[in-house]
Short mmCIF file of all heavy atoms in Angstrom, two decimals:
data_model
loop_
_atom_site.label_atom_id
_atom_site.label_comp_id
_atom_site.label_asym_id
_atom_site.label_seq_id
_atom_site.Cartn_x
_atom_site.Cartn_y
_atom_site.Cartn_z
N PRO A 284 8.76 -6.43 -16.05
CA PRO A 284 8.83 -7.43 -17.12
C PRO A 284 9.70 -8.61 -16.74
O PRO A 284 10.82 -8.45 -16.24
CB PRO A 284 9.44 -6.65 -18.29
CG PRO A 284 9.06 -5.23 -18.02
CD PRO A 284 9.10 -5.08 -16.53
N GLY A 285 9.18 -9.81 -16.96
CA GLY A 285 9.92 -11.03 -16.66
C GLY A 285 9.91 -11.45 -15.21
O GLY A 285 10.49 -12.49 -14.88
N LEU A 286 9.28 -10.68 -14.35
CA LEU A 286 9.24 -10.99 -12.93
C LEU A 286 7.82 -11.25 -12.47
O LEU A 286 6.85 -10.86 -13.13
CB LEU A 286 9.84 -9.84 -12.11
CG LEU A 286 11.30 -9.48 -12.40
CD1 LEU A 286 11.74 -8.32 -11.53
CD2 LEU A 286 12.20 -10.68 -12.18
N GLU A 287 7.70 -11.90 -11.33
CA GLU A 287 6.40 -12.14 -10.75
C GLU A 287 5.81 -10.86 -10.19
O GLU A 287 6.53 -9.94 -9.80
CB GLU A 287 6.50 -13.17 -9.62
CG GLU A 287 6.88 -14.57 -10.07
CD GLU A 287 6.89 -15.55 -8.91
OE1 GLU A 287 7.04 -15.11 -7.76
OE2 GLU A 287 6.72 -16.75 -9.16
N ARG A 288 4.51 -10.81 -10.16
CA ARG A 288 3.85 -9.71 -9.49
C ARG A 288 4.09 -9.81 -7.99
O ARG A 288 3.95 -10.89 -7.41
CB ARG A 288 2.35 -9.73 -9.79
CG ARG A 288 1.60 -8.53 -9.25
CD ARG A 288 0.15 -8.52 -9.71
NE ARG A 288 0.05 -8.45 -11.16
CZ ARG A 288 -1.10 -8.38 -11.82
NH1 ARG A 288 -2.25 -8.36 -11.16
NH2 ARG A 288 -1.10 -8.33 -13.14
N GLU A 289 4.48 -8.71 -7.39
CA GLU A 289 4.78 -8.73 -5.97
C GLU A 289 3.91 -7.73 -5.21
O GLU A 289 3.56 -6.66 -5.71
CB GLU A 289 6.26 -8.43 -5.71
CG GLU A 289 6.71 -7.04 -6.10
CD GLU A 289 8.13 -6.74 -5.69
OE1 GLU A 289 8.67 -7.44 -4.80
OE2 GLU A 289 8.72 -5.78 -6.24
N TRP A 290 3.59 -8.09 -4.00
CA TRP A 290 2.84 -7.22 -3.12
C TRP A 290 3.72 -6.09 -2.61
O TRP A 290 4.89 -6.30 -2.28
CB TRP A 290 2.30 -8.04 -1.94
CG TRP A 290 1.78 -7.23 -0.81
CD1 TRP A 290 0.61 -6.52 -0.78
CD2 TRP A 290 2.41 -7.03 0.45
NE1 TRP A 290 0.47 -5.90 0.45
CE2 TRP A 290 1.56 -6.20 1.21
CE3 TRP A 290 3.60 -7.49 1.02
CZ2 TRP A 290 1.87 -5.82 2.51
CZ3 TRP A 290 3.91 -7.11 2.31
CH2 TRP A 290 3.05 -6.29 3.04
N VAL A 291 3.16 -4.91 -2.53
CA VAL A 291 3.89 -3.73 -2.10
C VAL A 291 3.37 -3.20 -0.77
O VAL A 291 4.14 -2.98 0.16
CB VAL A 291 3.82 -2.61 -3.16
CG1 VAL A 291 4.47 -1.33 -2.65
CG2 VAL A 291 4.50 -3.07 -4.45
N ALA A 292 2.06 -2.97 -0.68
CA ALA A 292 1.49 -2.37 0.52
C ALA A 292 0.00 -2.67 0.58
O ALA A 292 -0.64 -2.90 -0.45
CB ALA A 292 1.72 -0.86 0.54
N SER A 293 -0.55 -2.65 1.79
CA SER A 293 -1.97 -2.88 2.00
C SER A 293 -2.50 -1.95 3.07
O SER A 293 -1.77 -1.55 3.98
CB SER A 293 -2.24 -4.32 2.44
OG SER A 293 -1.86 -5.25 1.45
N ILE A 294 -3.76 -1.63 2.94
CA ILE A 294 -4.48 -0.92 4.00
C ILE A 294 -5.81 -1.62 4.19
O ILE A 294 -6.53 -1.90 3.23
CB ILE A 294 -4.64 0.58 3.69
CG1 ILE A 294 -5.30 1.29 4.87
CG2 ILE A 294 -5.41 0.81 2.40
CD1 ILE A 294 -5.19 2.82 4.80
N PHE A 295 -6.13 -1.93 5.44
CA PHE A 295 -7.36 -2.63 5.75
C PHE A 295 -8.44 -1.65 6.18
O PHE A 295 -8.16 -0.48 6.46
CB PHE A 295 -7.09 -3.67 6.85
CG PHE A 295 -6.16 -4.75 6.42
CD1 PHE A 295 -4.79 -4.59 6.53
CD2 PHE A 295 -6.64 -5.93 5.87
CE1 PHE A 295 -3.91 -5.58 6.12
CE2 PHE A 295 -5.78 -6.93 5.45
CZ PHE A 295 -4.42 -6.75 5.58
N VAL A 296 -9.66 -2.13 6.22
CA VAL A 296 -10.79 -1.27 6.54
C VAL A 296 -10.61 -0.64 7.93
O VAL A 296 -11.12 0.45 8.18
CB VAL A 296 -12.12 -2.03 6.43
CG1 VAL A 296 -12.24 -3.09 7.53
CG2 VAL A 296 -13.30 -1.08 6.44
N THR A 297 -9.88 -1.30 8.79
CA THR A 297 -9.60 -0.78 10.12
C THR A 297 -8.59 0.36 10.11
O THR A 297 -8.43 1.05 11.11
CB THR A 297 -9.06 -1.89 11.03
OG1 THR A 297 -7.86 -2.43 10.47
CG2 THR A 297 -10.09 -3.00 11.19
N GLY A 298 -7.88 0.51 9.02
CA GLY A 298 -6.83 1.50 8.92
C GLY A 298 -5.44 0.93 9.08
O GLY A 298 -4.45 1.64 8.88
N THR A 299 -5.34 -0.32 9.45
CA THR A 299 -4.05 -0.98 9.59
C THR A 299 -3.34 -1.04 8.24
O THR A 299 -3.95 -1.34 7.22
CB THR A 299 -4.22 -2.39 10.15
OG1 THR A 299 -4.82 -2.31 11.45
CG2 THR A 299 -2.88 -3.11 10.26
N THR A 300 -2.05 -0.75 8.25
CA THR A 300 -1.26 -0.78 7.03
C THR A 300 -0.09 -1.74 7.17
O THR A 300 0.41 -1.99 8.26
CB THR A 300 -0.72 0.61 6.67
OG1 THR A 300 0.12 1.09 7.73
CG2 THR A 300 -1.86 1.59 6.45
N ASN A 301 0.34 -2.28 6.03
CA ASN A 301 1.50 -3.15 5.98
C ASN A 301 2.28 -2.86 4.71
O ASN A 301 1.71 -2.48 3.69
CB ASN A 301 1.09 -4.63 6.00
CG ASN A 301 0.55 -5.07 7.34
OD1 ASN A 301 1.30 -5.27 8.28
ND2 ASN A 301 -0.76 -5.22 7.42
N PHE A 302 3.60 -3.08 4.78
CA PHE A 302 4.48 -2.78 3.66
C PHE A 302 5.46 -3.91 3.43
O PHE A 302 5.92 -4.56 4.38
CB PHE A 302 5.26 -1.49 3.91
CG PHE A 302 4.39 -0.29 4.11
CD1 PHE A 302 3.97 0.08 5.37
CD2 PHE A 302 3.99 0.47 3.03
CE1 PHE A 302 3.17 1.19 5.56
CE2 PHE A 302 3.18 1.58 3.20
CZ PHE A 302 2.77 1.94 4.46
N ALA A 303 5.81 -4.11 2.17
CA ALA A 303 6.88 -5.03 1.84
C ALA A 303 8.20 -4.46 2.33
O ALA A 303 8.40 -3.25 2.37
CB ALA A 303 6.93 -5.26 0.34
N ASP A 304 9.12 -5.35 2.71
CA ASP A 304 10.41 -4.90 3.21
C ASP A 304 11.14 -4.02 2.20
O ASP A 304 11.87 -3.10 2.59
CB ASP A 304 11.28 -6.10 3.56
CG ASP A 304 10.82 -6.82 4.81
OD1 ASP A 304 10.05 -6.23 5.60
OD2 ASP A 304 11.23 -7.97 5.00
N SER A 305 10.96 -4.28 0.92
CA SER A 305 11.68 -3.55 -0.10
C SER A 305 11.28 -2.08 -0.18
O SER A 305 12.04 -1.27 -0.73
CB SER A 305 11.48 -4.21 -1.47
OG SER A 305 10.10 -4.26 -1.80
N VAL A 306 10.12 -1.73 0.34
CA VAL A 306 9.65 -0.35 0.25
C VAL A 306 9.43 0.28 1.61
O VAL A 306 9.14 1.48 1.68
CB VAL A 306 8.35 -0.25 -0.58
CG1 VAL A 306 8.54 -0.88 -1.95
CG2 VAL A 306 7.18 -0.89 0.16
N LYS A 307 9.59 -0.47 2.66
CA LYS A 307 9.35 0.04 4.01
C LYS A 307 10.26 1.23 4.30
O LYS A 307 11.46 1.18 4.04
CB LYS A 307 9.57 -1.08 5.02
CG LYS A 307 9.00 -0.80 6.40
CD LYS A 307 9.09 -2.06 7.28
CE LYS A 307 8.28 -3.20 6.70
NZ LYS A 307 8.32 -4.41 7.56
N GLY A 308 9.66 2.28 4.82
CA GLY A 308 10.40 3.49 5.10
C GLY A 308 10.44 4.46 3.95
O GLY A 308 10.82 5.63 4.15
N ARG A 309 10.06 4.03 2.76
CA ARG A 309 10.06 4.90 1.59
C ARG A 309 8.65 5.15 1.07
O ARG A 309 8.36 6.23 0.56
CB ARG A 309 10.91 4.30 0.47
CG ARG A 309 12.37 4.13 0.83
CD ARG A 309 13.20 3.72 -0.38
NE ARG A 309 12.79 2.41 -0.90
CZ ARG A 309 12.35 2.20 -2.14
NH1 ARG A 309 12.26 3.22 -3.00
NH2 ARG A 309 12.02 0.98 -2.55
N PHE A 310 7.79 4.15 1.16
CA PHE A 310 6.43 4.25 0.64
C PHE A 310 5.44 4.35 1.80
O PHE A 310 5.66 3.77 2.88
CB PHE A 310 6.06 3.01 -0.19
CG PHE A 310 6.78 2.88 -1.51
CD1 PHE A 310 7.87 3.66 -1.83
CD2 PHE A 310 6.34 1.93 -2.43
CE1 PHE A 310 8.53 3.52 -3.04
CE2 PHE A 310 6.98 1.78 -3.64
CZ PHE A 310 8.07 2.56 -3.95
N THR A 311 4.35 5.05 1.56
CA THR A 311 3.25 5.07 2.50
C THR A 311 1.95 4.84 1.75
O THR A 311 1.82 5.21 0.58
CB THR A 311 3.17 6.39 3.29
OG1 THR A 311 3.04 7.48 2.38
CG2 THR A 311 4.41 6.58 4.14
N ILE A 312 0.99 4.23 2.42
CA ILE A 312 -0.33 4.03 1.85
C ILE A 312 -1.33 4.76 2.73
O ILE A 312 -1.23 4.73 3.96
CB ILE A 312 -0.66 2.52 1.71
CG1 ILE A 312 -1.97 2.31 0.95
CG2 ILE A 312 -0.69 1.82 3.07
CD1 ILE A 312 -2.20 0.85 0.55
N SER A 313 -2.28 5.42 2.10
CA SER A 313 -3.27 6.19 2.84
C SER A 313 -4.59 6.17 2.09
O SER A 313 -4.67 5.67 0.96
CB SER A 313 -2.79 7.63 3.07
OG SER A 313 -2.57 8.29 1.83
N ARG A 314 -5.61 6.73 2.69
CA ARG A 314 -6.93 6.72 2.07
C ARG A 314 -7.65 8.04 2.28
O ARG A 314 -7.40 8.76 3.26
CB ARG A 314 -7.77 5.57 2.62
CG ARG A 314 -8.07 5.71 4.12
CD ARG A 314 -8.69 4.44 4.68
NE ARG A 314 -8.99 4.58 6.11
CZ ARG A 314 -9.32 3.58 6.90
NH1 ARG A 314 -9.40 2.34 6.41
NH2 ARG A 314 -9.58 3.80 8.18
N ASP A 315 -8.55 8.34 1.37
CA ASP A 315 -9.44 9.49 1.46
C ASP A 315 -10.84 8.95 1.22
O ASP A 315 -11.24 8.72 0.08
CB ASP A 315 -9.06 10.55 0.43
CG ASP A 315 -9.89 11.81 0.56
OD1 ASP A 315 -11.00 11.76 1.13
OD2 ASP A 315 -9.43 12.87 0.09
N SER A 316 -11.58 8.74 2.29
CA SER A 316 -12.89 8.10 2.17
C SER A 316 -13.88 8.94 1.37
O SER A 316 -14.74 8.40 0.68
CB SER A 316 -13.45 7.81 3.56
OG SER A 316 -13.60 9.00 4.32
N ALA A 317 -13.76 10.27 1.46
CA ALA A 317 -14.66 11.15 0.72
C ALA A 317 -14.52 10.99 -0.78
O ALA A 317 -15.46 11.26 -1.54
CB ALA A 317 -14.44 12.60 1.12
N LYS A 318 -13.35 10.56 -1.23
CA LYS A 318 -13.08 10.38 -2.65
C LYS A 318 -13.03 8.92 -3.07
O LYS A 318 -12.73 8.62 -4.22
CB LYS A 318 -11.76 11.06 -3.03
CG LYS A 318 -11.76 12.56 -2.81
CD LYS A 318 -10.41 13.16 -3.20
CE LYS A 318 -10.41 14.67 -3.02
NZ LYS A 318 -9.10 15.27 -3.38
N ASN A 319 -13.33 8.01 -2.14
CA ASN A 319 -13.24 6.57 -2.42
C ASN A 319 -11.89 6.20 -3.00
O ASN A 319 -11.79 5.39 -3.92
CB ASN A 319 -14.35 6.13 -3.38
CG ASN A 319 -15.73 6.23 -2.78
OD1 ASN A 319 -15.90 6.39 -1.58
ND2 ASN A 319 -16.74 6.13 -3.64
N THR A 320 -10.85 6.79 -2.45
CA THR A 320 -9.53 6.69 -3.07
C THR A 320 -8.47 6.26 -2.07
O THR A 320 -8.47 6.70 -0.92
CB THR A 320 -9.13 8.03 -3.70
OG1 THR A 320 -10.06 8.36 -4.74
CG2 THR A 320 -7.74 7.97 -4.31
N VAL A 321 -7.58 5.40 -2.53
CA VAL A 321 -6.40 4.99 -1.79
C VAL A 321 -5.17 5.49 -2.54
O VAL A 321 -5.13 5.45 -3.78
CB VAL A 321 -6.35 3.47 -1.60
CG1 VAL A 321 -5.01 3.02 -1.06
CG2 VAL A 321 -7.47 3.03 -0.66
N TYR A 322 -4.18 5.95 -1.80
CA TYR A 322 -2.97 6.51 -2.38
C TYR A 322 -1.75 5.68 -2.01
O TYR A 322 -1.70 5.05 -0.95
CB TYR A 322 -2.75 7.94 -1.90
CG TYR A 322 -3.89 8.87 -2.19
CD1 TYR A 322 -4.84 9.15 -1.23
CD2 TYR A 322 -4.00 9.48 -3.44
CE1 TYR A 322 -5.89 10.01 -1.49
CE2 TYR A 322 -5.05 10.34 -3.71
CZ TYR A 322 -5.99 10.61 -2.74
OH TYR A 322 -7.04 11.46 -3.00
N LEU A 323 -0.77 5.70 -2.89
CA LEU A 323 0.54 5.17 -2.58
C LEU A 323 1.55 6.29 -2.81
O LEU A 323 1.80 6.67 -3.96
CB LEU A 323 0.88 3.96 -3.45
CG LEU A 323 2.21 3.29 -3.14
CD1 LEU A 323 2.16 2.60 -1.77
CD2 LEU A 323 2.59 2.28 -4.22
#
């Protein structure tokens, strides 16, 4: 509330992932193609 929306993490179709500095080392992003699902 009261703050801008900020980017946290991304995963590309190649599997490459990126993380914001504020969450790096604590958050991970992954995918399950069989379930059409991405996890944080």
